[in-house]
Amino acid sequence: MFVRLAVVLTVLAVAAPAGPSASAAPPTVAADDFALTVAPAAVTAVAGHPARATVATTTTGGAPQPVALRVTSLPAGVFATVTPATVTSGASATVTVQTSVSTRAGTFTLVVEGVGAALRRQATLRLVVRTPTAVRAAFYYPWFPEAWRQGGLDPYTNYRPSRGLYTVDETVVRDQVADMRYGGVTVGVASWFGQGTTTDRHWPALFRGARDTGFAWAPYYEPEGIGRPTPDRIAADLHYLRSTYGGDRSALAVLPGRGMVVFVYNALDRTTADGCDTVDRWVRARSLLQRLWGESIYLSLKVFSGYRHCANSVTVDAWHQYAPAHAEADFSGVPGGAYTVSPGFWKAGLPYGRAPFLARNLDRWRAGVARMAASGAFWQLVTTWNEWGEGTSIESSVGCRGVAPAGALCDWSDGGRSDFVAVLHAYPPTVTSG
């Protein structure tokens, strides 16, 4: 329970001196003035999640006046909005403070400021940020519109996205971010194939669309899925990402005290020897990154056979599975543990049911999400937000393009918002810090 405190601003009234020939003082006219109070006086947020307070204005002299409201003294990784942004003194507004996974734990004093016709008044709001015990993230593919046409198919999907065959731009991303946040997703793991690639060209739109929302983006490093990049190349790529997209007000996911979050799609590691070589290369790349640029990373590699037996596996911060043809993958017991859920898998161009395949079933999804939320895994992953080509998207669809049998789940739009996202909303992760 918060104690409702009020910040009272004292106004000093100064009487105008009488003119030399005045026989009596003129009547005093109250100057237009107002005061601000914020309640509660202190709020708590788990990093990646919002907190709210109410700012109330009162007319303390003269006539009511328009008051423009804003929040200042925001620390890195904290954003704030006031709704409505302008009120008439005597009215109230809602302050929404957005934190991100990049926000460090601590106590901060924010300043709520009101600007009237001639006066400026302030009140304070204490913000307590706690470290999350769980982070929900979704894999995201910023390769549209180019990827709608491939493999001789146009469009390259068995479904009909509710947003149509969209382009990844600021407007689309902002709407997608709002939907993901509704589902408790606070990090997007965005596919990135390297400097100058299609995904790289679309990355700026991701950051514009997430600006000031508290949503954060982490790279899914795809070059490991098509080759074996050298430590020098890896280090250069990571420095490029940090220097291009980082900063105090950036939406780049940087865990405080740990580093920039990097997920790696090391899909070529089909043997323990291959996988341990990947671990060694990333250990060397991490060392280079620190030595050359003083930058650090939080590293999550894709699991492979025998991954725990590599000599350097203990230096890897987290492990995850990416296998969306399987409904669930529980690796909650490993360092930086991950639990992954998938809604289905139906690759474009293949007949319904042809392996690899996973039929969509909302009851199975609901049970899987409930298990994920209760798993205690730090990373609670969704494969995927919008991989339409493989048919793993939880983004809203209004129907099937491919031939599907009666009863197949093709429309999960729920009148506008995805049924799969609605389930995520109903089963939020337990994120409270101990």
Side-chain angles (χ1 to χ4, degrees):
M1 177 181 297
F2 295 108
V3 179
R4 187 177 295 268
L5 300 177
V7 179
V8 179
L9 299 166
T10 304
V11 180
L12 301 177
V14 180
S21 60
S23 58
T28 301
V29 178
D32 292 347
D33 202 355
F34 66 95
L36 296 179
T37 58
V38 177
V43 293
T44 299
V46 175
H49 297 268
R52 293 178 176 83
T54 299
V55 54
T57 65
T58 55
T59 302
T60 59
Q65 61 181 298
V67 178
L69 299 166
R70 65 173 184 168
V71 182
T72 62
S73 301
L74 297 170
V78 175
F79 314 90
T81 57
V82 185
T83 308
T86 300
V87 299
T88 300
S89 56
S92 298
T94 299
V95 177
T96 301
V97 180
Q98 300 283 6
T99 65
S100 80
V101 294
S102 302
T103 308
R104 65 180 176 88
T107 301
F108 310 94
T109 300
L110 312 185
V111 176
V112 181
E113 185 175 75
V115 179
L119 297 171
R120 187 185 305 265
R121 298 292 183 234
Q122 293 180 338
T124 58
L125 172 65
R126 187 162 63 94
L127 171 66
V128 179
V129 180
R130 294 180 177 170
T131 302
T133 55
V135 176
R136 181 171 288 175
F139 290 88
Y140 182 98
Y141 292 86
W143 52 30
F144 300 114
E146 294 85 353
W148 292 123
R149 179 182 295 180
Q150 57 179 301
L153 298 177
D154 185 8
Y156 188 74
T157 178
N158 288 316
Y159 296 103
R160 299 180 182 276
S162 296
R163 288 189 169 89
L165 305 181
Y166 57 80
T167 294
V168 173
D169 60 23
E170 179 179 349
T171 300
V172 166
V173 172
R174 189 162 289 276
D175 289 343
Q176 291 172 324
V177 164
D179 286 347
M180 284 189 273
R181 288 188 66 88
Y182 179 80
V185 175
T186 57
V187 175
V189 183
S191 174
W192 189 79
F193 276 86
Q195 301 178 44
T197 62
T198 296
T199 51
D200 186 48
R201 289 193 296 272
H202 286 299
W203 258 55
L206 304 186
F207 287 77
R208 290 193 298 269
R211 183 185 296 125
D212 297 343
T213 65
F215 191 84
W217 293 104
Y220 202 20
Y221 190 83
E222 302 270 16
E224 282 286 358
I226 55 178
R228 298 199 175 278
T230 65
D232 295 86
R233 180 195 166 178
I234 294 170
D237 281 344
L238 298 179
H239 174 64
Y240 166 82
L241 288 168
R242 184 67 177 266
S243 61
T244 303
Y245 299 106
D248 286 348
R249 314 305 300 170
S250 165
L252 187 68
V254 179
L255 294 186
R258 306 298 297 275
M260 179 177 70
V261 178
V262 181
F263 281 74
V264 181
Y265 184 62
N266 45 304
L268 298 181
D269 295 340
R270 298 182 177 92
T271 68
T272 302
D274 287 341
C276 291
D277 173 72
T278 296
V279 172
D280 292 342
R281 283 186 292 107
W282 276 83
V283 168
R284 294 196 297 274
R286 171 185 263 170
S287 178
L288 277 171
L289 184 68
Q290 179 64 44
R291 178 165 57 85
L292 295 176
W293 295 290
E295 296 168 356
S296 58
I297 60 169
Y298 175 98
L299 175 63
S300 178
L301 290 175
K302 184 180 180 298
V303 296
F304 52 84
S305 176
Y307 69 95
R308 285 186 166 182
H309 302 303
C310 300
N312 283 318
S313 64
V314 294
T315 66
V316 178
D317 300 292
W319 297 89
H320 71 278
Q321 178 60 294
Y322 188 98
H326 299 275
E328 297 171 52
D330 184 0
F331 287 86
S332 57
V334 305
Y339 197 113
T340 308
V341 292
S342 173
F345 190 101
W346 181 19
K347 193 167 185 175
L350 294 183
Y352 189 90
R354 173 81 59 84
F357 178 81
L358 177 66
R360 288 177 179 263
N361 182 298
L362 278 169
D363 289 335
R364 184 194 68 225
W365 170 258
R366 186 175 294 105
V369 169
R371 283 188 288 269
M372 178 176 72
S375 69
F378 181 74
W379 290 104
Q380 301 190 10
L381 306 175
V382 176
T383 52
T384 64
W385 176 258
N386 66 339
E387 222 294 16
W388 287 103
E390 291 187 344
T392 62
S393 172
I394 65 167
E395 189 177 25
S396 180
S397 167
V398 293
C400 285
R401 292 180 185 275
V403 177
L409 182 55
C410 294
D411 182 347
W412 57 87
S413 62
D414 192 28
R417 177 166 273 148
S418 165
D419 291 303
F420 291 98
V421 174
V423 171
L424 290 173
H425 177 77
Y427 293 91
T430 302
V431 299
T432 303
S433 178

